[in-house]
Amino acid sequence: MKEKILVGIDLGGTNVRAGAVTLAGELVARQECPIEARQGPQAGVEKIAGLITRVADEAGGRLQAIGIGSTGPVDHDLGAIQNPYTLPTWENVNIVKLLRERFRLPVTIENDADAAALGESWKGAGRGLPRLYMVTVGTGVGTAFIYDGRIYRGVGGAHCEGGHMILDPSGPECYCGAKGCWESLASGTAIGAYAREKAASHPTLVMELAGGDPERIDAALVAQAARKGDAFALEIINRAADYIALGLVNLIVLFLPDGIVLTGGVLRSFDLMEARIRSVIARHNIMSPVDKVALRLADLGQQAGMIGAARAAMLASEE
Ligand SMILES: [Zn+2]
């Protein structure tokens, strides 16, 4: 008899990935294709359905259920993607209903950050940490909370956006409407913007690496200069590390999770920030056992979303 498999979909604003995952959590086949918002949701759903069929065929298993981790916001209960700014034509598309009708199988949808956290919790760096926060510091700052191996849901089932907690009310304005939230201070976008603003008045290696064009300065370039020992770049990295640490401290004192898993492009420079982040967190040990909270880097990479979406499908079918 063929092995039972699940398909986990990782739906982003530019790419969609599909992975066939065994009930033990092993990714046995994967497919990927670009997705273009301007082609509309109908063409997109067709593409996704094609990927599901191909990846299930490649795995050769018996498909049991489909899970989707999608760029958000999503409505888990309704099964719909809602007004996502990364997929602008997909407003209120009930992808769950469409795929359920097509495959006649259980289909479930989660926010992509939740799906990735569930993947890390099940098979990645979060194993053995039942209360787990995952923090992504990339273009933006995203958070996801796994509680006893399941996605924590807020009011109305909504995903909690910890990246928009306020760290400095006098900080820069964010598109979310607030000032000085975590994302506006420490995301890759924020680090790049701050470096561009300051570089003009500082003779620095950052400007040299940008070929004299401040517009080419981004967070990756700042990290590159910091690795070469440039003082200006190190200052910017330290500032970002302090804000990242502050966000983490807030999560830690609120929830005392068993662990926090870190991921995202900015945290490729975690080695440059680690000592500073750990020392800021350690200062909070008087009221909370912060030393018991594990701080780890994610280890599933791009597979986390697919594996976690498959896990979400498995959990949904048990409910
Ligand atoms: Zn914000």
Side-chain angles (χ1 to χ4, degrees):
M1 185 134 72
K2 282 184 181 176
E3 188 176 10
K4 290 179 180 173
I5 56 157
L6 306 148
V7 167
I9 304 288
D10 181 1
L11 175 60
T14 51
N15 269 287
V16 54
R17 301 187 185 101
V21 176
T22 67
L23 299 189
E26 193 193 347
L27 184 75
V28 288
R30 58 177 290 178
Q31 296 270 342
E32 182 171 349
C33 74
I35 197 149
E36 286 176 57
R38 64 182 171 83
Q39 290 175 340
Q42 210 170 352
V45 172
E46 282 305 313
K47 268 190 178 176
I48 292 167
L51 274 187
I52 293 168
T53 305
R54 286 209 299 281
V55 82
D57 284 351
E58 193 189 327
R62 263 188 310 139
L63 183 56
Q64 303 293 300
I66 297 160
I68 306 158
S70 172
T71 181
V74 306
D75 187 323
H76 166 79
D77 293 339
L78 210 63
I81 301 173
Q82 292 181 318
N83 193 24
Y85 68 94
T86 47
L87 274 174
T89 57
W90 286 55
E91 197 163 337
N92 291 318
V93 172
N94 197 318
I95 188 169
V96 164
K97 183 165 172 272
L98 294 168
L99 291 177
R100 203 180 271 155
E101 281 165 4
R102 169 82 64 112
F103 289 96
R104 303 196 174 282
L105 286 170
V107 181
T108 191
I109 191 165
E110 303 289 359
N111 170 284
D112 53 358
D114 283 335
L118 197 54
E120 290 288 344
S121 155
W122 189 31
K123 289 288 149 189
R127 266 176 305 184
L129 305 173
R131 287 154 298 204
L132 177 74
Y133 247 99
M134 180 148 149
V135 174
T136 307
V137 186
T139 311
V141 175
T143 61
F145 189 27
I146 302 298
Y147 186 79
D148 278 346
R150 288 176 181 262
I151 294 167
Y152 171 83
R153 298 182 202 285
V155 60
H159 168 78
C160 305
E161 292 283 358
H164 297 278
M165 74 162 92
I166 294 161
L167 298 185
D168 175 4
S170 64
E173 253 174 63
C174 176
Y175 62 89
C176 75
K179 274 186 176 176
C181 45
W182 197 356
E183 178 160 322
S184 75
L185 290 163
S187 63
T189 312
I191 296 168
Y194 183 78
R196 283 193 294 278
E197 184 196 320
K198 298 288 173 193
S201 53
H202 289 73
T204 163
L205 181 62
V206 177
M207 193 61 110
E208 224 176 289
L209 291 171
D213 177 5
E215 288 311 304
R216 286 175 54 194
I217 296 174
D218 61 12
L221 212 131
V222 174
Q224 198 187 332
R227 282 190 193 287
K228 293 181 195 284
D230 180 69
F232 169 77
L234 278 166
E235 217 173 280
I236 289 178
I237 292 289
N238 287 343
R239 178 180 177 271
D242 288 347
Y243 282 126
I244 291 168
L246 202 51
L248 295 176
V249 161
N250 288 346
L251 294 178
I252 289 171
V253 298
L254 270 178
F255 297 99
L256 281 176
D258 298 284
I260 299 183
V261 166
L262 302 169
T263 188
V266 169
L267 292 167
R268 280 190 210 122
S269 308
F270 183 65
D271 60 312
L272 292 173
M273 303 180 173
E274 183 173 4
R276 213 169 167 101
I277 289 175
R278 288 194 190 275
S279 86
V280 172
I281 292 173
R283 272 183 242 145
H284 292 262
N285 65 352
I286 295 170
M287 299 303 287
S288 307
V290 294
D291 53 331
K292 292 201 174 75
V293 180
L295 195 61
R296 299 179 184 166
L297 285 177
D299 62 21
L300 293 179
Q302 288 183 344
Q303 296 184 4
M306 290 181 284
I307 292 175
R311 177 67 176 165
M314 193 192 259
L315 292 173
S317 59
E318 284 171 6
E319 271 166 12

